Amino acid sequence: MGVPRFWREIPYRYQLIGTKCSNCRSTFFPPRLICPNCRGAGKVEEAKLSGGGEVVTYTVVRVPPEGFEKQAPYVVGIVKLDEGPRITSQIVDCEPEDVRIGSRVRTVFRKIDEEGPAGAIHYGYKFALEQ
Amino acid sequence: MRKVAIIGVGMTDFGELWEKSLRDLTVQAGLEAIRDSGLPGEEIDALYAGCMSSGIFVQQEHIASLLADYCGLVPKSATRVEGACASGGIALRQAIMAVASGMHDVVVAGGVEKMTDILTEQTTMALACAADREWEAFQGVTFPGLYAMMARRHMHDYGTTEEQLSLVAVKNHENGAKNPHAQYRRPVTLEQVMNSSLIADPIRLLHCSPISDGAAAVVVCSKEKAKEARSEPIWVIGSGQASDTIALHDRKDITTMNATVVAVREALRMAGITQKYVDLVEVHDCFTIAEILAIEDLGFFEKGKGGPATQEGLTALNSQISVNPSGGLKSKGHPVGATGIAQIVEVVQQLRGQAGARQVKDAEIGMAHNVGGSGGTCVTHILSR
């Protein structure tokens, strides 16, 4: 995939900025142009997320997709952020057996993948266990 | 709405069919369905073809025209339908709606996928495109990974065990061993499944449906046209389709596929029946956890009881409810675009009493359940003799 697609995402990949609906008060990440609950009825505003959360579920990917061969095996989980939204992310800097449903985690800034030896390197958020 | 019948079915073998192209497979399945119907090909008004990712798998888009051309249907209307692994089921629903509305009298619904022409990592990536590419797949999650996360949570919330996940594979291989079109026509033991390599914990290799090539087709028509058919028509009595968030993480409960719950409710309401009238169901067991979720979300078992029900043999052939008599995606194979149509081929053959060694006794009513992605799309059909 080309560089522009990932460049376009930069603000949200590097910092957890989501959106909050003024009507139902739900927070979403990634940002949405309209609230899926209220559609036209709510006004959507930017909401900075603290980066702390809890593991809802997780797995250890042992057969990776193209671009992730060097990282496998790695832990991927769904994290429920303290403000409500849930996101899918790698959980790093730990052994897979240290991760549990309910573990506290916090965002860290990491390399995600690279487009071959001479291609662009993509960066973004991952999560690490809170000490 | 007009009454809609299925009068012809056909499918290729499923498997690694390196000697056959996407178009060859489709023509083969299509011709078989037309011959089975007994109607001359000139009667066909339109084609709906389900296919998920021919662009990545064989670098060919615009396949509706290609298939109409190679099937000799030009200049009839031809439309490709895409809903990830539910592409086939949706193609059928489009065909049913076209006939029910009176717009067309005879329509072919087909499905095809040619997945083994590229490397496994590329196939894994192509399939990952059915997840949210920018916010799930970007992080390195795979399809086995997404279903593994559902499995982990289901085990946590309901006490489902690895053994129960494995017994789904054992049961489906037992059925698939009796299906001449199945990719894996052999049984597997519980030990083999539980000792197979880990793909995405707790999902092991033998919990996964394979990567497959294959095509399937059915002929759908009005009640009037069904009188000219070679065999007794099988009636479409219910059809339901629903959507959900594309990303698994956005669902309130990741152990329930709400699209399944809504789609089956719609199909049962249309049919005017409840689950207890259903003799067999072909469910979307892309991973064994998916069958456990499906039999719960379709309402055959209470939430959390899918694992124990499987262990007690309640889903085996000719038990309480025959689940995946064809062998399911697990044993029969899963050429993603063809799967939804192949399920219908099985249900029709079961209701006609043509299923041979895997025949469900006195089958009157059958259901098919086809899921796209991690549950972002679900389509359910109910057929009756």
Side-chain angles (χ1 to χ4, degrees):
Chain A
M1 203 56 71
V3 175
R5 173 171 174 169
F6 294 97
W7 173 80
R8 174 177 94 219
E9 309 292 351
I10 281 178
Y12 317 117
R13 286 210 189 283
Y14 293 179
Q15 337 168 22
L16 292 183
I17 300 171
T19 48
K20 189 164 186 170
C21 171
S22 62
N23 195 41
C24 71
R25 309 306 294 165
S26 302
T27 306
F28 296 92
F29 181 86
R32 289 179 180 243
L33 292 176
I34 61 163
C35 170
N37 301 329
C38 309
R39 292 182 284 272
K43 193 172 151 286
V44 152
E45 51 209 37
E46 220 171 61
K48 190 150 172 37
L49 304 167
S50 65
E54 195 180 296
V55 175
V56 176
T57 183
Y58 66 96
T59 183
V60 185
V61 174
R62 293 173 194 274
V63 179
E66 207 171 11
F68 290 84
E69 293 88 345
K70 282 186 215 159
Q71 298 179 37
Y74 51 87
V75 181
V76 173
I78 291 177
V79 172
K80 183 175 195 291
L81 298 171
D82 294 336
E83 294 82 0
R86 295 174 173 205
I87 63 179
T88 299
S89 173
Q90 288 192 28
I91 299 167
V92 294
D93 303 344
C94 63
E95 294 302 320
E97 47 277 19
D98 297 337
V99 182
R100 297 269 181 284
I101 288 175
S103 292
R104 284 289 308 171
V105 289
R106 184 155 291 281
T107 40
V108 289
F109 180 70
R110 287 287 187 278
K111 174 175 159 181
I112 303 284
D113 69 346
E114 55 191 29
E115 297 177 346
I121 296 173
H122 304 138
Y123 293 93
Y125 56 81
K126 293 185 181 178
F127 282 79
L129 295 175
E130 262 182 11
Q131 295 306 316
Chain B
M1 251 188 343
R2 298 202 296 175
K3 218 173 161 181
V4 178
I6 297 179
I7 56 167
V9 298
M11 69 181 280
T12 64
D13 288 344
F14 281 5
E16 291 182 335
L17 310 174
W18 294 337
E19 71 291 358
K20 287 191 175 133
S21 68
L22 179 134
R23 65 187 81 181
D24 296 342
L25 292 168
T26 316
V27 173
Q28 188 188 327
L31 280 181
E32 195 183 313
I34 306 279
R35 278 196 207 108
D36 183 50
S37 75
L39 254 58
E42 295 73 49
E43 300 264 2
I44 298 166
D45 299 317
L47 164 71
Y48 287 91
C51 180
M52 176 185 159
S53 199
S54 55
I56 298 179
F57 290 130
V58 294
Q59 301 194 336
Q60 176 72 59
E61 304 290 14
H62 201 191
I63 65 158
S65 156
L66 173 83
L67 299 178
D69 180 3
Y70 276 75
C71 291
L73 288 176
V74 168
K76 299 296 169 63
S77 140
T79 309
R80 172 179 170 181
V81 176
E82 192 273 315
C85 313
S87 301
I90 302 171
L92 174 69
R93 190 170 146 90
Q94 294 298 314
I96 291 167
M97 292 197 291
V99 172
S101 70
M103 187 77 98
H104 292 309
D105 289 320
V106 183
V107 180
V108 173
V112 63
E113 212 75 59
K114 176 78 192 149
M115 301 170 71
T116 68
D117 280 2
I118 56 174
L119 302 172
T120 304
E121 305 88 89
Q122 295 168 328
T123 306
T124 305
M125 188 47 93
L127 292 172
C129 296
D132 186 330
R133 184 65 192 83
E134 293 189 20
W135 301 101
E136 290 182 303
F138 180 75
Q139 296 285 339
V141 72
T142 56
F143 254 88
L146 289 169
Y147 277 88
M149 292 199 285
M150 295 182 216
R152 172 94 64 195
R153 189 72 210 196
H154 201 274
M155 292 162 94
H156 177 269
D157 291 355
Y158 301 108
T160 303
T161 64
E162 274 191 55
E163 186 175 337
Q164 290 165 350
L165 294 179
S166 302
L167 285 167
V168 172
V170 173
K171 187 257 304 167
N172 287 351
H173 272 262
E174 197 175 316
N175 293 345
K178 300 168 187 154
N179 184 346
H181 287 304
Q183 184 162 356
Y184 298 128
R185 290 186 296 271
R186 57 173 182 268
V188 294
T189 65
L190 181 59
E191 292 67 35
Q192 282 172 319
V193 180
M194 291 191 69
N195 292 324
S196 60
S197 59
L198 278 165
I199 303 294
D201 316 19
I203 288 186
R204 292 176 182 276
L205 182 64
L206 291 181
H207 295 147
C208 307
S209 58
I211 293 167
S212 320
D213 303 326
V218 299
V219 181
V220 172
C221 75
S222 62
K223 191 177 172 184
E224 272 309 298
K225 282 285 171 194
K227 290 174 186 156
E228 300 165 28
R230 201 162 60 91
S231 346
E232 280 295 303
I234 298 299
W235 301 103
V236 178
I237 60 170
S239 175
Q241 185 181 334
S243 62
D244 202 345
T245 64
I246 182 158
L248 178 64
H249 57 232
D250 280 328
R251 312 222 183 112
K252 282 190 187 70
D253 175 7
I254 62 166
T255 61
T256 299
M257 284 195 194
N258 194 51
T260 296
V261 174
V262 175
V264 76
R265 190 195 301 146
E266 198 182 304
L268 287 168
R269 192 191 303 131
M270 182 173 162
I273 61 165
T274 61
Q275 286 86 347
K276 70 173 184 203
Y277 293 95
V278 178
D279 299 303
L280 68 119
V281 58
E282 284 285 307
V283 306
H284 196 93
D285 61 323
C286 47
F287 300 94
T288 55
I289 181 63
E291 177 164 318
I292 289 174
L293 298 182
I295 58 179
E296 295 171 354
D297 298 340
L298 290 170
F300 291 106
F301 298 97
E302 259 176 66
K303 192 80 231 161
K305 303 283 193 232
T310 304
Q311 195 156 24
E312 287 160 33
L314 303 181
T315 58
L317 196 64
N318 288 311
S319 61
Q320 184 178 317
I321 169 83
S322 298
V323 179
N324 279 330
S326 72
L329 285 50
K330 174 70 202 80
S331 162
K332 185 176 55 185
H334 183 28
V336 288
T339 283
I341 300 291
Q343 292 177 324
I344 299 297
V345 172
E346 176 70 13
V347 174
V348 167
Q349 288 178 337
Q350 288 284 352
L351 298 181
R352 284 176 175 175
Q354 296 173 341
R358 59 182 200 286
Q359 181 65 46
V360 175
K361 283 187 207 86
D362 306 320
E364 297 270 348
I365 293 179
M367 183 188 277
H369 162 257
N370 191 198
V371 170
S374 63
T377 299
C378 178
V379 54
T380 304
H381 284 101
I382 305 173
L383 310 184
S384 165
R385 230 171 22 192

